[in-house]
Structure formats: C-alpha cells, structure tokens
Amino acid sequence: MDKVSQGAIVVVAKAPQVGKVKTRLCPPLSYEQATQLYTGFLLDTIEIARKVADCEVKAVCPSAQDARELRQILPASVGYVVQDSPGLGSALNQSIEECLKLGYQKVFCISSDNPTLPLEYLEAAVTALDKNDLVLGPTEDGGYYLVGARASCPYLFEGMTWSTETVLVETMERAFSHQASFQLLPRWYDLDTGQELARFIRELSLVDEGQAHHTRQALAAVDYGELLDVA
C-alpha cells in the first residue's frame, strides 16, 4: 500500500455457513435464520468500522476458504488476515502482529456481533491509544467486544480460557503484570443467546432507522414474537 492509515480495525469473522454460525441461537432460530442474522450482524459491524476516520478495515478468518467466501459479501475495500493457528487467541494476536508489521500505528480487534455499536465507542478507542498501551471494550458477560493495542501484546492471549465471565478481569491483570497502561470503553453486550437477541430486538426500535440495515432485513424474515417472550 502506498500510504498506511493510522489504524486498522479487524473484525473477527468466518464465512456464514449454515449450521456453523450463531448456533447458540438455535433454538429459538433455525440454522438458516441464524446464518442470515449472522450475515446481517457482520455486514453492519463492517459498515460501522468503515466510518472511523483514518482506519482501514480487515476481517480475520479461520481459513483461506472463509476469506474467499467472505470476499463475495463484504466490501471490496476490506482486507483479510487468514489465521495460521485456530482459536480466538490466535486470531487476535496474529491480527495485531500482522497489522503492526504493515505499518499501522494502532490495531483494534472487534467481534462481528456489533450491528448497533455506537460509532463514538470506536472513535474513543482510537483516541485512547494516544496515551495508553491498550484499550478494552467490556461486555456485560465479563468478556470484551474490543481490544486495541499499539504494540505487540501476545501475553494478553496466550493460554486464555475464553467465553468465561473472568476474561476481562484476567486480561486487565495480565496488562498490570506487564506494566501496560489501558483504558476501558463503555460497556456493551453480546448477541449469543435468545435472551440477548430479545433485548436487542426491543432496543433496535430505539435506534435510528438508518442503522443496522442488514440486520433489520434479516429480522424481517423471522417471526420473532416468541423471541420477545424469552426475556
């Protein structure tokens, strides 16, 4: 590339294959519906990330085949990081390492389940790294939806037990032990369970209609009356 942007926002993604994405939402959704919804989440998340000034957007995915399939649905400007090793920790670490080597000064990894994440949260993350080594976006279940760094930080990911309520706390403890300064962003929530999806559907009516366009399309094909009884 001729001129490297200040930052890279890397979305953790995989190809939207039926039966392989958002399976914790099945039931109440069918595998086909969950796949359509995942695709909406991913497209909307990418769209939000592309609005951040002076940041390029990439997707980190588990295989070259995933990258080929994602290229069929994601904007042409999106770049790709193909994992050398499986697992979330490897995805995050490799994304940061590769982007730093390419010359990006700040690298941010976010999950694909953020169709209504406020743009100002991502903008705050970019600003946070002006004065901190790391930035973290906590989720309500004890994990995080964003991790950003301006230097290599494999110590955050090696040997981490993911999908537990202690991920954020352990991550902060690791940062402290390596004398890395960090800033926390506002809390957000995941979209992994029927209860979380029901909450999201309720709150979607309060969000500007221009947001989450792809997710709204996916939901339009779902009779989600029963979902609203979950919460």
Side-chain angles (χ1 to χ4, degrees):
M1 62 184 72
D2 296 328
K3 179 181 180 297
V4 176
S5 297
Q6 176 192 41
I9 300 176
V10 186
V11 180
V12 179
K14 52 186 173 181
Q17 299 173 353
V18 176
K20 294 186 178 181
V21 292
K22 307 311 294 180
T23 55
R24 289 177 62 188
L25 292 176
C26 306
L29 300 182
S30 68
Y31 287 126
E32 291 78 9
Q33 290 171 333
T35 303
Q36 292 172 352
L37 195 58
Y38 170 80
T39 304
F41 289 168
L42 174 59
L43 290 172
D44 287 328
T45 300
I46 292 284
E47 194 168 289
I48 294 169
R50 293 177 71 209
K51 294 178 181 179
V52 181
D54 201 23
C55 283
E56 295 183 8
V57 178
K58 300 179 183 293
V60 57
C61 46
S63 70
Q65 178 61 34
D66 283 83
R68 283 191 288 270
E69 293 184 34
L70 287 169
R71 283 192 178 95
Q72 302 303 310
I73 63 172
L74 298 184
S77 62
V78 173
Y80 293 86
V81 176
V82 177
Q83 291 179 232
D84 294 329
S85 302
L88 178 58
S90 295
L92 300 178
N93 187 56
Q94 184 177 337
S95 296
I96 292 173
E97 296 283 355
E98 284 195 13
C99 288
L100 290 173
K101 288 178 181 177
L102 287 172
Y104 296 99
Q105 299 171 34
K106 304 173 181 180
V107 186
F108 309 91
C109 297
I110 63 173
S111 70
S112 58
D113 297 347
N114 292 294
T116 57
L117 182 70
L119 175 60
E120 54 264 33
Y121 288 12
L122 292 180
E123 293 172 335
V126 175
T127 302
L129 288 191
D130 288 339
K131 297 181 179 180
N132 294 276
D133 300 309
L134 306 167
V135 59
L136 297 164
T139 52
E140 294 180 354
D141 63 1
Y144 53 78
Y145 62 87
L146 177 148
V147 57
R150 59 183 184 184
S152 177
C153 51
Y155 56 85
L156 290 184
F157 314 116
E158 294 172 350
M160 175 68 76
T161 300
W162 302 99
S163 300
T164 71
E165 61 184 17
T166 61
V167 169
L168 178 66
V169 171
E170 183 172 345
T171 299
M172 291 190 294
E173 289 175 348
R174 292 182 180 201
F176 279 126
S177 67
H178 284 78
Q179 299 182 322
S181 61
F182 63 87
Q183 179 175 318
L184 295 180
L185 299 173
R187 197 173 300 274
W188 201 241
Y189 63 95
D190 288 325
L191 287 169
D192 289 327
T193 67
Q195 186 173 19
E196 290 165 345
L197 181 58
R199 170 185 173 179
F200 170 77
I201 292 171
R202 288 194 175 94
E203 294 185 356
L204 190 59
S205 64
L206 305 176
V207 176
D208 185 278
E209 291 186 1
Q211 272 190 278
H213 170 70
H214 300 285
T215 300
R216 291 178 194 270
Q217 282 189 324
L219 285 171
V222 178
D223 179 7
Y224 51 79
E226 293 185 4
L227 283 177
L228 297 179
D229 295 330
V230 174

